[in-house]
Amino acid sequence: MSASCLRLLEVEAFHLCSRMWFLHSSDLGKLPWIKTGVDAADRVVKFIRNHQFTQALYRTYGKEKELIRPGTTRFGTNLLMIERLQEVKAALQELSMSLASHVHKRACTNFTTVCHLLSSLALQKTVVDEKYDEWAESHTDYTITAKAVKKDCLSSEFWTKLGLIRDILQPVFEMLRKVDTPKPNISKVYNWGSLLLDKVKKLTLDAAKMKAVQRIVEERRAALCADFHVAAHALDPEYLSYDRSECTQALLNIVAKLTSSKVSSCFGCGTGNCKVPGLWASRIEEEVAEVMLQYSQYSSGAGLFSRDTVLAGATTMQPHVWWQMYGGEVPKLQAIAVRVLSQTASASSCEHNWSHYSFVHSTSRNRLTQARASRL
């Protein structure tokens, strides 16, 4: 990879946060014991929903709780599937006792399918219904699959595995929901990653499974702990009382980069026309030293930062707004903090805009001029 590409990634990588955590959930779904559980859940859901008789029989027990199928364009659908299955467990079991023949064999690793299977009191009632067995016996093509579905719905091992998968995927799903927002929350990612790792460590798993899950979580968290995220965490006033000694180096790197960009634009060095390279370098060192001196004033709670009313605002205000209001005593640090903390953790808002714009200008409506498309 070229040096220019690496520099571009250094600047833009922090916008890939939601994508990284989406890959995180995908990595967990590839673990054999998780994939097997999700596939079984998807098989049950597909069998019930793909046949009119089983669907009608289930609805007599499931009422308004429809089974959820995984979606390919949305994250977290496997979890939603599992949670719904748990809700309708009894209805599924009654259905299984009466219809042992119509579950589709196609496996699905989607998170929504698993969630659907975990909500299944209604499912259990469905599979134990006499009509289920009668229908299964009369449709020999589905008899084997229906019996497999009935066995799963009445198996305590099946529901225990789904509950375990839900407990593992739920914290990741919550993390994705927090990150996938247009709000400027870049400073929260570092702490959220730590909290996620703590939740994973509290799970009741055997040694081998815990090691595999923890390895995936730690690898994804390490990939997200770029200097930008760590520096944003250090500048967030909500975490002022936290131990941020490990953040100093990352903050220094970001301050040096932003200061270098600012000074180079003033001296014209970014265009290769710099006449005083020595002065440029010394000016950068002076600026960085001054910013870090102001950071020490902020982190030690000196001056305005020691007042209770100011610190209380850190929990009710957006971090960049807090700095705009209370950072006047440290103007150079204030400028950098506002610039860093006003960033979003993902590009989801841009994707939403592109999705909406596709209704205005697309391959089928590509003759619109730029001016007219903008007005629309």
Side-chain angles (χ1 to χ4, degrees):
M1 182 179 293
S2 65
S4 59
C5 290
L6 288 173
R7 286 195 296 270
L8 180 61
L9 285 175
E10 287 179 357
V11 176
E12 300 295 341
F14 62 89
H15 288 301
L16 303 177
C17 184
S18 61
R19 176 61 179 168
M20 293 293 290
W21 285 106
F22 175 76
L23 293 174
H24 181 173
S25 60
S26 300
D27 290 343
L28 290 173
K30 293 177 182 178
L31 293 175
W33 55 278
I34 292 182
K35 186 178 185 301
T36 302
V38 175
D39 287 348
D42 181 62
R43 179 181 60 186
V44 173
V45 171
K46 289 172 67 176
F47 179 78
I48 301 298
R49 293 193 54 169
N50 285 2
H51 300 86
Q52 293 182 357
F53 181 82
T54 55
Q55 179 81 309
L57 185 60
Y58 163 76
R59 286 175 176 172
T60 62
Y61 300 106
K63 305 302 180 184
E64 299 179 356
K65 296 284 187 179
E66 291 290 344
L67 295 177
I68 298 175
R69 287 288 304 279
T72 57
T73 60
R74 301 187 65 182
F75 63 79
T77 51
N78 283 334
L79 176 61
L80 298 177
M81 175 186 66
I82 293 178
E83 290 176 343
R84 177 55 55 84
L85 283 174
Q86 287 180 325
E87 293 172 6
V88 298
K89 181 178 180 181
L92 268 182
Q93 289 181 333
E94 288 196 15
L95 174 61
S96 295
M97 293 298 292
S98 69
L99 180 67
S101 73
H102 198 74
V103 174
H104 199 70
K105 289 185 178 180
R106 182 187 171 197
C108 177
T109 58
N110 220 320
F111 187 54
T112 305
T113 304
V114 177
C115 295
H116 234 92
L117 292 171
L118 284 177
S119 56
S120 58
L121 288 178
L123 286 175
Q124 291 176 332
K125 291 180 180 178
T126 302
V127 296
V128 298
D129 194 303
E130 293 181 356
K131 296 178 182 179
Y132 181 91
D133 291 330
E134 294 174 359
W135 180 89
E137 293 298 330
S138 63
H139 295 74
T140 56
D141 292 342
Y142 308 128
T143 302
I144 296 177
T145 308
K147 289 182 178 179
V149 170
K150 181 177 181 178
K151 180 180 179 181
D152 286 339
C153 291
L154 299 178
S155 170
S156 59
E157 181 181 354
F158 172 77
W159 296 107
T160 301
K161 179 181 288 188
L162 289 185
L164 183 60
I165 295 174
R166 180 203 56 191
D167 293 340
I168 294 172
L169 296 181
Q170 184 68 46
V172 180
F173 179 73
E174 293 175 354
M175 176 76 175
L176 277 169
R177 292 296 297 269
K178 291 178 181 179
V179 171
D180 190 41
T181 174
K183 295 181 179 179
N185 55 7
I186 191 71
S187 60
K188 313 297 183 183
V189 173
Y190 182 80
N191 187 57
W192 288 342
S194 300
L195 293 177
L196 175 61
L197 186 58
D198 292 339
K199 290 180 180 179
V200 169
K201 291 180 179 179
K202 294 179 181 179
L203 295 175
T204 54
L205 299 173
D206 58 56
K209 293 179 179 178
M210 174 60 76
K211 183 178 180 180
V213 172
Q214 190 170 336
R215 175 184 58 81
I216 293 175
V217 173
E218 289 178 345
E219 286 179 355
R220 287 299 176 188
R221 181 177 179 271
L224 282 173
C225 290
D227 285 349
F228 202 94
H229 297 95
V230 180
H233 174 78
L235 293 171
D236 192 331
E238 183 178 352
Y239 306 124
L240 186 59
S241 60
Y242 287 46
D243 180 13
R244 291 165 296 137
S245 56
E246 60 183 11
C247 303
T248 305
Q249 183 61 50
L251 178 63
L252 184 60
N253 294 339
I254 293 300
V255 169
K257 287 182 180 179
L258 296 180
T259 303
S260 176
S261 176
K262 176 183 176 181
V263 174
S264 63
S265 62
C266 295
F267 281 80
C269 298
T271 60
N273 299 322
C274 183
K275 305 299 182 181
V276 282
L279 179 60
W280 173 48
S282 62
R283 180 64 179 274
I284 291 177
E285 293 179 358
E286 293 175 2
E287 289 282 334
V288 171
E290 188 171 353
V291 171
M292 295 307 293
L293 180 63
Q294 293 182 2
Y295 175 72
S296 66
Q297 178 182 343
Y298 157 73
S299 59
S300 62
L304 187 65
F305 303 118
S306 63
R307 302 188 61 173
D308 293 337
T309 53
V310 174
L311 298 178
T315 59
T316 58
M317 303 168 61
Q318 291 286 353
H320 68 285
V321 176
W322 185 91
W323 273 98
Q324 289 173 336
M325 180 170 290
Y326 299 119
E329 290 187 356
V330 285
K332 293 186 181 297
L333 179 63
Q334 180 191 41
I336 291 178
V338 171
R339 184 175 177 183
V340 171
L341 297 174
S342 59
Q343 302 294 324
T344 60
S346 72
S348 59
S349 56
C350 297
E351 294 176 359
H352 294 161
N353 289 336
W354 296 333
S355 178
H356 294 159
Y357 189 71
S358 65
F359 292 106
V360 176
H361 192 278
S362 62
T363 55
S364 60
R365 299 185 64 186
N366 58 3
R367 297 183 64 182
L368 292 173
T369 63
Q370 181 180 356
R372 175 170 294 184
S374 299
R375 288 198 298 270
L376 292 175

